[in-house]
């Protein structure tokens, strides 16, 4: 159904989706699920027997049936071409899928991850030996050396701010240049410039540039140079500078990409596919304060589509950055519409070459990554103190690390792939982690302080020497514990007058439930049945009182008893322990819970 409730138009009767492979089986023409062509990939010039190439190209087409990215196809095609080249030069040459042995595959892939990704394609070839097919189907982890290099180091906050400010300055300068020339063009089109005014010729040339993406040239010259009229009118400023009076250059598009990544931590693939906002939450399209941007991150599968809200609260905000980028690229999109190549892509630039085809977006290929590299090189030449590694991946990692929250991914991915891998985060977190572990250990000791001496090595009840050695109490006290002369309803008390819960020297008068949180409490194996029954009784009590009463009066005790049993007994033994409690001990525990034993 369409958005308005009408039935979507069906394809003509007898329609069949065009085949991916040409008749000779050596040229792939994939189409995405949305009907977008993903390129033409020709293997007719690759080395090796035709049948061998045809098998692998068919395997590539089968494996790529669900790919929606031209970049994915480009990477896999490049790797398959390298595979065919290396197979042809091997000794002896690999001329059929039947010759792809496990040993040769291991030698060819080495520790290069991109080559091992090709395994999913190669194993589809029908003649691959079964042993090789099974090996290729087995998931492989990256080699230890590669995993060791995966730890990352983010730019510092100062470095990231320097990059962001430099990118913003580049975008600002380009936007002002385009705005100035666009103002001349609009005045010329409205007839506000007299024909004898110097700006009239400039406006005329800008109109040509806006409609064609190029300027008048000498068609007969070998280099199709700009006409003398263009050079005189525009001040002999050079081919590229003249062509980009209305359009951003590649460097400036790279700066725009870097700026948005610094603000929003978007992947390069997300930026390449990003369209201009289609609606605005504040319903003010002409002067929006809030931009709603749709994102498409193909690697997330069914969760690939999302949106980000960018709020314009002045210079330095993400919404203002997006607004500047929109203004920077608006005329480029308008010209593409006039050329019959409409594009809603956010990032569009002119390559500074002759011909309207030099005006393009960044939907395919690695041109946007190259644009960022070119921008940072140009910025350094202009004296901007940029740090090393100014690329999309490093910028995204840095923005994720310093933002402190997951951006365009899950919290688990944010913690695992960004926070835990970053050297600065790990170093700065070390003291906090150590303090947290120390506090956790201290809390655990305070929570369950009662000790257990269960059995002697021969399985008998522990003797006094064993109790003394395990708990550090005096041997005479240990003898009294073993003899049962210091027993409480839950354990034995090694020092009645120095309780953790009473003033020093004063007799202990707190509930016996607090024995589990006292260092003087010592339990032996004979106490475990009563403790198991106590835990069951607390569980029953939980359903008999209100939530508020349980939280205030019983929850902490229940947690300590449960922790004690978890530490010292397996779960499947507790019902048997509780069943072994005597009737006298059962009555003792019941009276304790009824507070009839409290002092």
């Amino acid at each position: 159904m369409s958005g308005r409730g009408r039935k979507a138009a069906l394809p003509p009767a007898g329609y069949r989706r065009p085949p991916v492979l040409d008749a000779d089986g050596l040229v792939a023409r994939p189409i995405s699920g949305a009907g977008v062509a993903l390129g033409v990939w020709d293997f007719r010039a690759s080395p090796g027997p035709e049948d061998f190439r045809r098998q692998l190209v068919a395997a590539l087409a089968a494996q790529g049936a669900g790919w929606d990215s031209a970049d994915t196809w480009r990477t896999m095609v490049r790797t398959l071409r390298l595979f065919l080249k290396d197979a042809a030069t091997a000794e002896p040459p690999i001329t059929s899928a039947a010759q792809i042995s496990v040993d040769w595959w291991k030698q060819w892939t080495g520790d290069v991850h991109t080559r091992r990704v090709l395994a999913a394609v190669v194993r589809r070839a029908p003649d691959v030996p079964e042993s090789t097919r099974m090996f290729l189907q087995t998931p492989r982890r990256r080699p230890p050396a590669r995993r060791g290099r995966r730890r990352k180091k983010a730019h510092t906050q100062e470095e990231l701010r320097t990059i962001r400010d430099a990118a913003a300055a580049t975008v600002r300068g380009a936007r002002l240049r385009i705005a100035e020339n666009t103002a001349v063009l609009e005045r010329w089109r409205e007839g506000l410039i007299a024909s004898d005014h110097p700006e009239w010729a400039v406006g005329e040339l800008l109109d040509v540039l806006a409609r064609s993406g190029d300027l008048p040239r000498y068609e007969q010259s070998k280099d199709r140079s700009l006409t003398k009229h263009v050079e005189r009118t525009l001040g002999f400023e050079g081919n590229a500078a003249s062509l980009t009076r209305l359009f951003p250059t590649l460097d400036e598009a790279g700066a725009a990409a870097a700026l948005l990544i610094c603000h929003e931590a978007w992947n390069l693939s997300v930026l390449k596919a990003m369209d201009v906002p289609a609606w605005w939450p504040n319903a003010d399209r002409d002067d929006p304060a809030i931009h709603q941007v749709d994102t498409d991150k193909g690697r997330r599968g069914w969760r690939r589509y999302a949106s980000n809200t960018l709020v314009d609260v002045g210079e330095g905000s993400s919404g203002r950055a997006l607004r500047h980028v929109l203004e920077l690229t608006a005329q480029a999109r308008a010209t593409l519409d006039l050329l019959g190549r409409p594009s809603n892509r956010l990032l569009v630039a002119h390559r500074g070459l002759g011909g309207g085809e030099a005006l393009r977006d960044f939907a395919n290929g690695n041109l946007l990554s190259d644009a960022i590299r070119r921008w940072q090189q140009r910025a350094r030449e202009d004296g901007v103190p940029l740090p090393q590694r100014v690329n999309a991946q490093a910028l995204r990692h840095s923005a994720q690390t310093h933002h402190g929250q997951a951006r365009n991914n899950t919290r688990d991915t944010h913690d695992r792939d960004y926070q835990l891998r970053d050297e600065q985060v790990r170093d700065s977190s070390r003291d906090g982690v150590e303090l947290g572990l120390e506090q956790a250990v201290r809390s655990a000791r305070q929570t369950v302080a009662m000790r257990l001496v269960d059995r002697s090595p021969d399985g008998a009840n522990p003797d006094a020497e064993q109790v003394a050695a395990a708990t550090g109490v005096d041997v005479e006290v240990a003898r009294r514990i073993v003899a049962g002369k210091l027993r409480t309803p839950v354990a034995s008390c090694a020092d009645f007058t120095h309780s953790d819960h009473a003033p020093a020297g004063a007799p202990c008068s707190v509930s016996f439930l607090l024995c589990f949180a006292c260092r003087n409490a010592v339990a032996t194996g004979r106490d475990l049945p009563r403790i198991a029954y106590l835990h069951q009784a607390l569980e029953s009590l939980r359903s008999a009182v209100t939530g508020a009463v349980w939280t205030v009066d019983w929850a902490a005790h229940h947690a300590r008893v449960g922790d004690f049993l978890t530490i010292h007994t397996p779960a499947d033994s507790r019902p048997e322990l509780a069943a072994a409690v005597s009737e006298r001990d059962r009555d003792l525990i019941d009276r304790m819970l009824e507070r009839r034993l409290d002092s």
Side-chain angles (χ1 to χ4, degrees):
M1 300 288 288
S2 71
R4 294 174 179 261
R6 297 189 298 269
K7 290 185 177 180
L10 297 175
Y15 171 81
R16 294 292 182 271
R17 188 171 182 172
V20 175
L21 299 178
D22 283 5
D24 61 2
L26 295 176
V27 179
R29 304 176 188 271
I31 298 177
S32 71
V36 178
L38 301 177
V40 179
W41 312 106
D42 192 342
F43 289 87
R44 287 175 294 191
S46 298
E50 277 196 16
D51 289 343
F52 181 39
R53 284 180 285 151
R54 194 175 290 113
Q55 281 187 342
L56 291 175
V57 174
L60 176 67
Q63 181 66 24
W67 298 343
D68 279 344
S69 169
D71 287 344
T72 302
W73 272 93
R74 182 177 293 102
T75 299
M76 296 303 292
V77 166
R78 186 185 300 120
T79 309
L80 181 54
R81 284 173 176 162
L82 178 63
F83 175 86
L84 292 170
K85 178 181 177 181
D86 291 347
T89 57
E91 291 294 339
I94 306 295
T95 58
S96 70
Q99 293 177 267
I100 304 175
S101 65
V102 174
D103 290 340
W104 187 86
W105 177 262
K106 287 181 178 179
Q107 180 182 3
W108 182 72
T109 55
D111 64 349
V112 182
H113 177 67
T114 55
R115 295 188 183 185
R116 291 185 289 115
V117 171
L118 190 67
V121 172
V122 173
R123 73 185 185 212
R124 287 178 174 271
D127 295 335
V128 171
E130 189 60 28
S131 58
T132 304
R133 194 186 313 279
M134 294 301 296
F135 179 81
L136 297 180
Q137 287 177 342
T138 304
R140 305 253 178 261
R141 298 181 65 189
R142 295 181 183 223
R146 185 178 182 91
R147 291 198 304 274
R149 292 196 299 268
R150 290 184 64 111
R151 183 176 291 188
K152 302 175 182 179
K153 184 175 182 179
H155 296 299
T156 65
Q157 288 185 325
E158 292 74 16
E159 290 174 336
L160 191 63
R161 189 177 299 111
T162 298
I163 297 170
R164 187 194 67 189
D165 291 347
T170 300
V171 171
R172 187 182 310 113
R175 182 174 59 86
L176 293 176
R177 181 194 71 237
I178 293 172
E180 181 181 348
N181 284 279
T182 302
V184 174
L185 173 61
E186 290 176 352
R187 291 201 305 272
W188 184 88
R189 286 177 170 174
E190 293 172 4
L192 299 179
I193 301 176
S195 59
D196 57 349
H197 193 280
E199 278 193 345
W200 193 93
V202 176
E204 180 185 32
L205 291 177
L206 291 177
D207 181 65
V208 174
L209 181 61
R211 288 185 288 104
S212 66
D214 200 2
L215 290 167
R217 298 176 179 276
Y218 291 116
E219 297 295 337
Q220 303 304 321
S221 63
K222 292 182 179 180
D223 58 357
R224 297 187 66 250
S225 58
L226 295 174
T227 65
K228 293 297 183 182
H229 172 63
V230 173
E231 292 184 350
R232 286 194 303 269
T233 303
L234 300 182
F236 299 93
E237 59 188 1
N239 186 12
S242 298
L243 290 170
T244 55
R245 279 181 168 243
L246 296 175
F247 316 120
T249 66
L250 286 182
D251 300 359
E252 292 159 352
L259 176 62
L260 292 174
I261 294 173
C262 287
H263 277 289
E264 291 296 313
W266 282 320
N267 285 89
L268 203 61
S269 61
V270 171
L271 271 176
K272 288 160 61 175
M274 185 172 290
D275 289 339
V276 297
W279 68 285
W280 293 262
N282 62 334
D284 189 356
R285 178 170 186 168
D286 295 329
D287 189 21
I290 302 174
H291 301 272
Q292 192 80 20
V293 179
D294 294 330
T295 60
D296 179 4
K297 190 174 181 181
R299 287 185 300 172
R300 300 193 70 188
W302 62 272
R303 298 176 301 167
R304 64 185 295 175
Y305 299 108
S307 64
N308 290 73
T309 301
L310 282 66
V311 182
D312 184 351
V313 291
E315 290 296 334
S317 64
S318 60
R320 181 60 58 88
L322 179 63
R323 180 175 184 170
H324 288 173
V325 174
L326 288 168
E327 294 172 359
L328 176 73
T329 55
Q331 181 58 54
R333 282 187 293 274
T335 300
L336 284 173
D337 285 343
L338 294 173
L339 292 173
R341 294 187 284 118
S343 174
N344 286 324
R345 293 288 186 257
L346 175 65
L347 295 178
V348 187
H350 200 292
R351 300 183 64 182
L353 305 174
E357 66 277 1
L359 185 63
R360 55 170 297 181
D361 57 35
F362 296 87
N364 298 315
N366 298 317
L367 190 59
L368 188 56
S369 178
D370 182 60
I372 296 176
R373 179 185 59 80
R374 292 178 53 166
W375 165 73
Q376 58 95 12
Q377 289 178 343
R378 180 67 59 84
R380 285 197 178 94
E381 292 172 0
D382 293 340
V384 180
L386 293 181
Q388 298 297 319
R389 300 180 303 106
V390 179
N391 55 59
Q393 186 177 20
L395 289 177
R396 171 172 165 75
H397 174 76
S398 302
Q400 286 271 9
T401 299
H402 293 305
H403 190 274
Q405 298 181 16
R407 305 297 298 271
N408 308 293
N409 49 32
T410 63
R411 184 72 204 188
D412 287 344
T413 299
H414 175 73
D415 292 341
R416 182 184 65 248
D417 294 344
Y418 294 93
Q419 297 289 319
L420 292 179
R421 285 186 183 172
D422 186 75
E423 294 180 4
Q424 295 182 43
V425 172
R426 293 166 73 100
D427 292 342
S428 63
S429 302
R430 183 172 287 110
D431 292 342
V433 171
E434 291 175 355
L435 178 61
L437 290 175
E438 181 182 343
Q439 291 176 342
V441 171
R442 188 184 306 118
S443 174
R445 288 173 177 167
Q446 292 173 351
T447 301
V448 182
M450 187 167 73
R451 293 159 290 177
L452 173 69
V453 185
D454 191 1
R455 302 290 180 188
S456 63
D458 59 1
N461 288 324
D463 56 25
E465 287 72 17
Q466 183 183 354
V467 171
T471 62
V473 302
D474 184 78
V475 175
E476 183 58 34
V477 174
R479 289 194 181 100
R480 298 179 68 189
I481 291 175
V482 171
K485 296 181 178 180
L486 301 177
R487 294 185 73 182
T488 72
V490 295
S492 296
C493 181
D495 193 345
F496 181 71
T497 59
H498 292 83
S499 169
D500 288 343
H501 308 288
C508 180
S509 60
V510 300
S511 168
F512 290 112
L513 287 171
L514 283 173
C515 289
F516 290 92
C518 182
R519 290 170 294 175
N520 292 328
V522 178
T524 62
R526 67 189 176 195
D527 298 313
L528 289 177
R530 291 200 309 279
I531 295 173
Y533 174 74
L534 171 61
H535 191 255
Q536 283 189 354
L538 286 171
E539 288 283 0
S540 300
L541 182 62
R542 187 172 193 169
S543 61
V545 298
T546 64
V549 171
W550 173 260
T551 300
V552 173
D553 293 341
W554 303 104
H557 301 306
H558 175 266
R560 287 193 199 97
V561 177
D563 288 347
F564 182 86
L565 290 172
T566 299
I567 294 170
H568 296 296
T569 65
D572 55 0
S573 70
R574 294 167 204 162
E576 183 179 349
L577 286 172
V581 69
S582 67
E583 188 63 35
R584 179 177 177 276
D585 287 343
R586 191 188 304 270
D587 179 66
L588 183 66
I589 295 297
D590 290 342
R591 286 191 291 133
M592 182 186 71
L593 292 179
E594 293 169 1
R595 299 293 173 91
R596 287 191 283 161
L597 300 182
D598 292 355
S599 299

